[in-house]
Amino acid sequence: MQFIDLKAQYTALKPQIDAGIQRVLDHGQYIMGPEVRQLEERLAARTGVAHCVTVSSGTEALLISLMALGVGPGDEVITSPFTFAATAEVIVLVGARPVFVDIEPDSCNLDARLIEAAITPRTKAIMPVSLYGQVADMAEINAVAAKHGLPVIEDAAQSFGSRYQGRESCGLSTFGCTSFFPSKPLGCYGDGGALFTDDAALAQAAREIRVHGQSARYTHTRVGVGGRMDTLQCAVVLAKLERFDWELQRRREIGDRYGRLLAPLQAQGLGLLAVRPDRDCVWAQYTVFVPQRARVQAALQAAGVPTAIHYPKPAHHQGAYAAYAPVDACPASIAAAQRVMSLPMSADLSEADQDRVVAALADALAAL
């Protein structure tokens, strides 16, 4: 059983993907070829945002967003510690300080009620993470941000295609940033990402930053990075867009079915992720809370069921970021890191394999 079945997806889309790659090989514009603009236009239209800027990774999307906003040394950025390291990493890379605010214990997203108390005169931005494919409480976060005149950057690396109060992830704040890492709901065959904004000036800044700060060839208006998304990767994502709506629907259906099948196991200590009624989840990972995780994982591995942990340590328990918060800060994040476990999930997961996963998990819990 595959944790994420990318081979099945490729088989279903092989003619479109192969043709898209061949077109790039034929025209030879491997950097900033026509597929780059085509993808940006398609994604902007999909999210209802004026500007989409493709970049070399989801991490680069976050970094460029911070740079475009002028975040730098002496500034603070409020974010979640329960996320992949890239979220904190980009804040530190621009010379700013990450300020960690705890998560909601049942959704694992940033707890909007705790943000205002963390704002100081040095706060320059708020960066919530839409974890596991569900958007954080952006209305509340945006309200707090507006009250204090702060921009919001949605780290939507896992949530592209999800909806919040009828609107698309990445179209909910000053910047939305997503990733096209192969395992994401919309993935390429390497690294890639995109940022979204309705602000024309910020979009122009982002476009310049991604090409070493150039406003014209060899005219370096600002400090930038080498952050372009390859034309070949854009061609892959364009091909995958052909069945993306089907994939999103499948992810929602499989997530719902997991929820129904796993509900009885709550009596044995299993915890299910809460999905709020005003939004959906595209299940970039199908993550549950388990007791005695090491034993449960070992039992599932023995049964041929792969699992993963997203994430085993909150950021302030990582050596690189330990100086930014006390070790006992953000207790909900610490507790989640000790219990989360992700199960096999992809649009091509069969019901038979899903049943195997659930049966193996039930057996593992029963044996504790």
Side-chain angles (χ1 to χ4, degrees):
M1 187 188 305
Q2 298 291 316
F3 185 70
I4 300 170
D5 195 347
L6 294 178
K7 291 181 180 179
Q9 183 191 57
Y10 173 63
T11 299
L13 290 167
K14 180 175 169 44
Q16 297 95 318
I17 292 173
D18 289 357
I21 291 173
Q22 189 61 53
R23 279 191 294 271
V24 178
L25 297 175
D26 288 341
H27 66 56
Q29 298 177 55
Y30 301 114
I31 302 297
M32 300 303 291
E35 286 79 4
V36 175
R37 175 60 64 85
Q38 291 168 20
L39 180 60
E40 289 175 347
E41 291 175 350
R42 291 277 301 275
L43 296 178
R46 180 183 185 92
T47 56
V49 175
H51 307 280
C52 170
V53 182
T54 55
V55 293
S56 56
S57 68
T59 305
E60 211 72 6
L62 295 171
L63 178 65
I64 291 172
S65 294
L66 289 169
M67 293 174 70
L69 289 166
V71 178
D75 295 330
E76 295 176 350
V77 178
I78 292 171
T79 193
S80 166
F82 192 63
T83 177
F84 183 60
T87 311
E89 178 180 67
V90 294
I91 298 169
V92 176
L93 281 172
V94 298
R97 180 183 182 88
V99 174
F100 296 123
V101 167
D102 211 356
I103 59 172
E104 299 170 335
D106 59 347
S107 76
C108 291
N109 277 332
L110 190 66
D111 191 333
R113 299 168 298 181
L114 304 178
I115 292 174
E116 191 158 29
I119 294 173
T120 76
R122 294 179 297 279
T123 305
K124 196 68 177 284
I126 302 171
M127 188 185 289
V129 180
S130 296
L131 201 64
Y132 302 139
Q134 178 182 198
V135 175
D137 191 355
M138 295 299 289
E140 185 65 27
I141 293 168
N142 285 335
V144 173
K147 179 179 175 182
H148 294 271
L150 298 170
V152 176
I153 303 169
E154 182 195 2
D155 181 345
Q158 300 179 13
S159 62
F160 189 76
S162 64
R163 295 186 294 258
Y164 173 86
Q165 297 183 359
R167 298 168 63 196
E168 294 267 340
S169 176
C170 288
L172 302 166
S173 55
T174 315
F175 272 117
C177 298
T178 199
S179 167
F180 303 128
F181 188 78
S183 63
K184 304 299 184 185
L186 182 62
C188 56
Y189 288 159
D191 270 322
L195 54 86
F196 300 80
T197 184
D198 281 320
D199 188 305
L202 289 176
Q204 183 60 29
R207 291 189 185 101
E208 292 176 6
I209 292 168
R210 76 170 168 183
V211 288
H212 304 283
Q214 295 181 97
S215 55
R217 188 165 177 80
Y218 298 129
T219 302
H220 300 270
T221 310
R222 61 182 82 233
V223 174
V225 297
R228 299 161 296 200
M229 185 171 172
D230 295 345
T231 308
L232 280 166
Q233 300 300 343
C234 289
V236 170
V237 177
L238 279 167
K240 288 193 175 188
L241 277 174
E242 299 303 315
R243 78 162 200 167
F244 187 50
D245 285 327
W246 175 85
E247 291 209 17
L248 290 174
Q249 184 59 32
R250 283 287 297 148
R251 284 177 172 274
R252 294 181 183 111
E253 291 170 355
I254 292 167
D256 288 346
R257 188 168 188 267
Y258 258 139
R260 293 193 301 272
L261 294 175
L262 294 173
L265 300 185
Q266 292 177 98
Q268 295 171 259
L270 185 76
L272 300 180
L273 202 71
V275 178
R276 306 291 185 229
D278 62 347
R279 66 205 77 166
D280 66 8
C281 186
V282 295
W283 299 112
Q285 291 88 26
Y286 191 87
T287 301
V288 294
F289 304 95
V290 294
Q292 300 184 54
R293 182 174 62 199
R295 289 184 61 185
V296 172
Q297 274 197 295
L300 289 174
Q301 184 178 10
V305 175
T307 59
I309 303 173
H310 303 99
Y311 296 94
K313 293 181 182 180
H316 63 303
H317 285 193
Q318 300 282 0
Y321 309 104
Y324 296 107
V327 68
D328 59 349
C330 303
S333 298
I334 296 169
Q338 294 168 349
R339 296 188 65 215
V340 291
M341 184 181 74
S342 300
L343 303 175
M345 178 52 141
S346 68
D348 296 290
L349 183 68
S350 68
E351 288 194 357
D353 277 348
Q354 194 175 21
D355 290 341
R356 279 183 57 203
V357 173
V358 173
L361 182 53
D363 289 345
L365 292 171
L368 293 179

